Amino acid sequence: RGEKMMMLRRAAAGATRRCLSSSVTIEFPGAFSAHRMEAPEAKAVTSKEELIDYFKMMYTMRRMEITCDNEYKARTIRGFCHLYDGQEAIGTGIHNALTLEDSWITSYRCHCIMLARGGTVEGILAELMGNEAGETGGKGGSMHFYNKSQNFYGGQGIVGAQVPVGAGLAFANKYKTPPGEKMPVAIACYGDGAANQGQIAEAANMSMLWKLPMMFVIENNQYGMGTSNSRSSSNTEYYTMGNVIPGLKIDGMNVLSVREGMKYAKEYVSAGNGPLFIEFSTYRYHGHSMSDPGTTYRNRDEIAAMRATRDPIEHVKKMLLEFCSATDDELKAIEKDIRADVAAACDRAKASKPPPVSSLTDYIYLDDNGNNAPLPFIRMPAIQDSIGFAG
């Protein structure tokens, strides 16, 4: 009995040293599958401080999207609204694998990517409400966030339209990098519903021919609008769809597997090896958009099972509790603070006003000095003025 107690004490001491050390190695076997390339090691070195940062970002994303749901139902937010809850590990993991020199463009499900790339909860909610405190002055709305200063080229309202633009960003990054140096990369995120579009195949072909530092990132949340991928795609292994282009499939519900997979992918494409196809296996809790209840083509049991077994935020909490000496009370206090912060940001967003009518023609026509120069006539109805217009 005494020998058994001694063994337990030693095991406990070892666990304490592991938790209190500055870093910890966490393994996640089975997180990667590869096509025409070697898969990265399924492990990551992290720390309590780092995982707390990820937890805060992901929980803020979740609360912000839940707030969007509530405000949409209250009719404070109108129009199109596509929510990201369930997919937070992807946005957070990608952001922490890249630098701000790397270019990022995505689909209309873009609120949380804007938050990762320098936005604020207040600015995002105000934008959704059409108010001038919004990230793009209340003019873009849910699908058109943008932050050029941090190389975020926005959400796109047309399915798949962002992908060729992403290839253009990759071309620009290669063009501007001196030969022999590592290039900033470009990523274009799109869903499984867009994966079979012809424009993606054309962009992929050019990217491979020109060895562009481009990543075609499929966020496979299992449904394209209301159609399961098994009903819409003859090949549901989306990371293999580049044909001769290598691909990597990543567990998109684990922020560390996302981060490590994208670090590995960035190293590959930035070195001049050409593009990659990256598939994240993930899940969205809401319907396709706020007009979709999300329960006509899947049942509530499926959604509940995913929340119970694969929720990305619960996974981070589990790692903090198991490996990093965090406590339930500590994490609950963080959640409480974030809920209060998001609620306060929502109140400030509501207090903002719509942009003035005088700003309607801003950023359309500029003079030679780069200043706004709205036309004194309406093109086409004023046909003679339009014919003589040189712009």
Side-chain angles (χ1 to χ4, degrees):
R1 183 178 177 182
E3 182 179 354
K4 184 176 181 180
M5 288 297 296
M6 183 63 71
M7 291 175 64
L8 289 172
R9 288 189 185 121
R10 287 174 180 168
T16 300
R17 285 194 296 273
R18 177 187 63 178
C19 291
L20 297 180
S21 64
S22 59
S23 64
V24 61
T25 299
I26 299 177
E27 297 183 354
F28 29 84
F32 303 121
S33 300
H35 168 68
R36 299 179 72 95
M37 68 183 303
E38 293 293 324
E41 285 190 279
K43 64 181 181 180
V45 177
T46 187
S47 65
K48 180 179 180 179
E49 181 181 17
E50 191 172 68
L51 287 177
I52 287 287
D53 285 343
Y54 297 168
F55 173 60
K56 287 179 177 178
M57 173 60 80
M58 293 167 66
Y59 193 72
T60 301
M61 290 176 173
R62 179 71 58 87
R63 292 307 307 179
M64 182 178 73
E65 295 294 67
I66 290 171
T67 300
C68 290
D69 175 284
N70 293 335
E71 295 302 322
Y72 195 95
K73 290 171 180 174
R75 300 179 69 81
T76 313
I77 295 171
R78 304 191 184 201
F80 293 104
C81 187
H82 306 81
L83 303 182
Y84 201 67
D85 50 323
Q87 301 181 213
E88 298 93 347
I90 298 175
T92 304
I94 290 176
H95 176 68
N96 285 280
L98 305 183
T99 71
L100 296 182
E101 293 182 350
D102 299 314
S103 307
W104 195 345
I105 192 167
T106 189
S107 69
Y108 39 75
R109 204 177 300 278
C110 60
H111 309 161
C112 293
I113 310 307
M114 182 70 230
L115 186 66
R117 279 274 164 138
T120 66
V121 175
E122 178 184 347
I124 292 166
L125 293 176
E127 185 63 39
L128 289 165
M129 296 171 186
N131 291 336
E132 62 179 340
E135 295 292 347
T136 55
K139 292 185 173 183
S142 174
M143 300 192 289
H144 301 290
F145 286 97
Y146 182 84
N147 188 352
K148 187 179 179 181
S149 67
Q150 296 204 15
N151 275 319
F152 177 51
Y153 293 91
Q156 301 286 312
I158 304 301
V159 175
Q162 69 274 18
V163 181
V165 181
L169 293 168
F171 180 87
N173 288 345
K174 180 174 182 177
Y175 187 82
K176 292 185 288 188
T177 302
E181 293 186 13
K182 286 194 173 181
M183 298 172 280
V185 305
I187 67 170
C189 295
Y190 55 101
D192 46 290
N196 286 290
Q197 288 199 359
Q199 61 184 329
I200 294 174
E202 292 183 68
N205 182 55
M206 288 187 285
S207 297
M208 188 61 174
L209 286 171
W210 297 335
K211 301 295 183 187
L212 300 183
M214 172 67 179
M215 286 187 269
F216 296 83
V217 177
I218 305 101
E219 296 186 69
N220 178 9
N221 59 25
Q222 316 307 317
Y223 297 94
M225 297 188 72
T227 305
S228 66
N229 53 32
S230 62
R231 294 179 59 219
S232 64
S233 185
S234 60
N235 178 8
T236 57
E237 299 293 341
Y238 297 102
Y239 69 107
T240 69
M241 291 182 74
N243 193 5
V244 298
I245 299 174
L248 186 64
K249 185 175 183 178
I250 301 172
D251 178 4
M253 304 302 264
N254 178 349
V255 67
L256 292 183
S257 63
V258 173
R259 186 194 72 184
E260 293 305 298
M262 289 301 286
K263 281 183 177 179
Y264 183 81
K266 177 181 173 176
E267 185 69 20
Y268 177 92
V269 301
S270 67
N273 294 307
L276 286 178
F277 270 59
I278 310 291
E279 177 188 351
F280 289 113
S281 178
T282 186
Y283 197 83
R284 56 169 163 80
Y285 294 147
H286 271 83
H288 170 72
S289 69
M290 283 300 298
S291 61
D292 169 21
T295 53
T296 57
Y297 48 88
R298 58 183 183 176
N299 58 49
R300 297 184 188 277
D301 290 342
E302 177 184 311
I303 302 169
M306 189 64 67
R307 286 184 183 274
T309 60
R310 294 197 65 206
D311 184 82
I313 295 176
E314 290 301 316
H315 185 72
V316 176
K317 290 170 68 174
K318 182 179 178 182
M319 290 191 289
L320 281 163
L321 294 169
E322 183 175 348
F323 295 104
C324 299
S325 71
T327 66
D328 282 321
D329 288 343
E330 182 180 4
L331 300 181
K332 286 178 182 177
I334 292 172
E335 291 175 345
K336 182 179 179 181
D337 288 344
I338 289 173
R339 286 196 298 270
D341 289 345
V342 171
C346 184
D347 289 340
R348 294 193 300 271
K350 288 179 181 178
S352 177
K353 297 179 180 179
V357 175
S358 60
S359 69
L360 186 65
T361 55
D362 287 352
Y363 310 114
I364 299 175
Y365 295 105
L366 304 177
D367 62 21
D368 292 338
N369 297 317
N371 300 313
N372 285 309
L375 296 180
F377 60 90
I378 300 175
R379 294 190 69 180
M380 294 314 293
I383 188 66
Q384 292 304 316
D385 290 328
S386 297
I387 290 172
F389 178 62

